[in-house]
Amino acid sequence: MLVVVVAVAIALLARWLAGHGGGSGGGRPTASVSVEKVARMDVPVTITAIGTVTPLATATVRSQQAGVLGRILFREGQPVQQGQVLAEVDPRPFQAALAQARADQLRDQAQLAAAKVDLARYRTLLAQDSIASQQVDTQAALVRQLQGTVQADAAAVQTAEINLGYTSIRSPVTGVVGLRLTDIGNYVTAQDATGIAVVTQQDPIDIAFSIPQGQLGLLGARGDMQGDDLVVQALAQEGGALLAEGRLQALDNVIDTSTGTVKAKARFANPDGKLFPNQFVNAVLQVRSLPQAMVVPVSAVRHGTPGDFVFVLQPGQKVRMQVVTTGPMVGQKVAILGGLKGDESVVTAGADGLQDGSQVRVGGGAPGAGSSKAPSQHKKSTP
């Protein structure tokens, strides 16, 4: 008897709970949701990739003459100009070689002058029939020989001057010099692989990145594979701060079969040195823009068997599941390319457990409730 009374009490309690649980659909509680109206804004179509900052030129400074390194005239890490003297090899042996070449040139010039005087005299005597023509011809040949010698002397002087000039080791490019790789007193040669220092050209500077082959159509649709008018932004990997803005410089002419990507290069002005050689950045290539596209918060878009969908608020505080076609994202917003008209309100929070036709209650203290504060919160995160 006691068992029957307990069973009846449990049944009555269950019936009372079912009758007072509220909601629709067999006792399911009414969900409290946040909603936000579909907005419109210009949405940039971008391609994002990891890029590597690459100097336009990286030059190892080497001596072009063998000798003892006598002076180092740069400070590590300082900016240098093309042609600026960075170091000096002991010039004395090369100064002596230049003096010897000039002395030989003076001697041979004097011999040539004397031979020309003799040739003029011999020609006068030949006209008077006082000497044989053979002697005149021999003297003329000597003059031509000495002229060749003097020209060779001039070349030797020029070579000695060049060799002396090479004792001043100059920067081949404008850029920033790195750490010193050798010290004063070391014997250096043109065959030294290490060199004296490395100079990198940092302004302007390039960023190399790769574009997936599936996104090449975004560029091809423009008919512009060089893309001088395409803007590329360099963002810091930590925090996403904008470091610099440049232009797409070039695309490679083949797809890398191992990665399915094509290499690209963008060029940036870098006067303040925010981009550092070999630095990793996020490269954002802005292909085009979708003017006044429909956008909703990212949290409104859900994924399931039918694809991407949103819950649209209907009259009577019910929701309708609507399949949508999503596009690019901008901040915490995502573009809707199809499926909505643009005047709807979509559920942004509290959608867990909702079904097509579910009864909802807007607000109720849920995060981001459908008040005017919700859009402003999203706008703060929109770049």
Side-chain angles (χ1 to χ4, degrees), residues 2-332:
L2 181 60
V3 173
V4 174
V5 172
V6 172
V8 172
I10 293 175
L12 291 175
L13 179 62
R15 184 173 182 180
W16 183 87
L17 291 174
H20 292 80
S24 60
R28 179 186 297 274
T30 301
S32 178
V33 300
S34 300
V35 299
E36 185 172 324
K37 287 192 68 65
V38 176
R40 289 187 178 272
M41 62 182 298
D42 293 340
V43 178
V45 179
T46 61
I47 298 174
T48 303
I50 297 177
T52 304
V53 181
T54 306
L56 265 67
T58 300
T60 300
V61 180
R62 297 185 176 91
S63 174
Q64 294 181 270
Q65 289 293 349
V68 177
L69 191 62
R71 292 196 300 167
I72 292 180
L73 304 173
F74 66 89
R75 186 182 71 256
E76 294 172 319
Q78 80 172 78
V80 296
Q81 299 296 318
Q82 184 178 18
Q84 180 177 336
V85 178
L86 302 182
E88 188 177 81
V89 173
D90 184 4
R92 291 175 296 178
F94 304 95
Q95 291 170 345
L98 177 58
Q100 179 66 48
R102 286 174 174 169
D104 292 342
Q105 184 183 38
L106 289 175
R107 180 198 60 202
D108 293 335
Q109 286 175 341
Q111 292 178 355
L112 175 60
K116 287 182 176 180
V117 171
D118 289 343
L119 178 59
R121 184 182 302 113
Y122 291 165
R123 285 174 175 168
T124 301
L125 294 174
L126 179 62
Q128 298 173 357
D129 201 19
S130 299
I131 60 173
S133 60
Q134 182 179 0
Q135 188 172 357
V136 176
D137 295 339
T138 302
Q139 188 64 25
L142 178 61
V143 168
R144 289 192 296 271
Q145 178 182 346
L146 291 174
Q147 287 174 335
T149 303
V150 169
Q151 291 179 358
D153 290 339
V157 169
Q158 186 176 10
T159 300
E161 290 174 342
I162 293 174
N163 291 336
L164 179 60
Y166 282 155
T167 60
S168 295
I169 303 172
R170 302 176 182 274
S171 175
V173 295
T174 297
V176 177
V177 65
L179 301 181
R180 188 174 70 244
L181 303 178
T182 190
D183 296 316
I184 295 174
N186 287 337
Y187 188 81
V188 294
T189 67
Q191 287 73 37
D192 287 341
T194 303
I196 297 172
V198 177
V199 178
T200 56
Q201 185 176 349
Q202 298 186 14
D203 184 24
I205 201 166
D206 288 344
I207 291 180
F209 58 98
S210 296
I211 298 176
Q213 63 180 9
Q215 295 182 316
L216 287 178
L218 297 176
L219 297 177
R222 297 176 59 92
D224 182 7
M225 295 304 288
Q226 293 304 315
D228 289 339
D229 61 334
L230 297 185
V231 175
V232 181
Q233 292 181 330
L235 307 181
Q237 288 198 313
E238 299 79 13
L242 177 63
L243 299 177
E245 188 172 278
R247 300 282 176 176
L248 183 66
Q249 188 71 14
L251 292 175
D252 203 353
N253 56 1
V254 294
I255 293 176
D256 188 340
T257 56
S258 62
T259 61
T261 60
V262 60
K263 296 178 181 178
K265 182 180 291 186
R267 184 153 297 172
F268 297 78
N270 191 36
D272 50 7
K274 288 186 177 180
L275 298 177
F276 203 80
N278 294 343
Q279 175 185 3
F280 289 109
V281 297
N282 292 327
V284 181
L285 172 60
Q286 299 182 4
V287 181
R288 54 191 173 90
S289 178
L290 299 176
Q292 293 299 296
M294 293 183 292
V295 295
V296 299
V298 175
S299 59
V301 179
R302 308 185 70 81
H303 313 283
T305 302
D308 295 334
F309 63 92
V310 297
F311 285 109
V312 179
L313 184 65
Q314 298 289 102
Q317 299 293 292
K318 292 186 178 182
V319 294
R320 171 173 55 87
M321 187 178 71
Q322 177 64 49
V323 177
V324 296
T325 302
T326 58
M329 293 178 55
V330 52
Q332 296 300 314

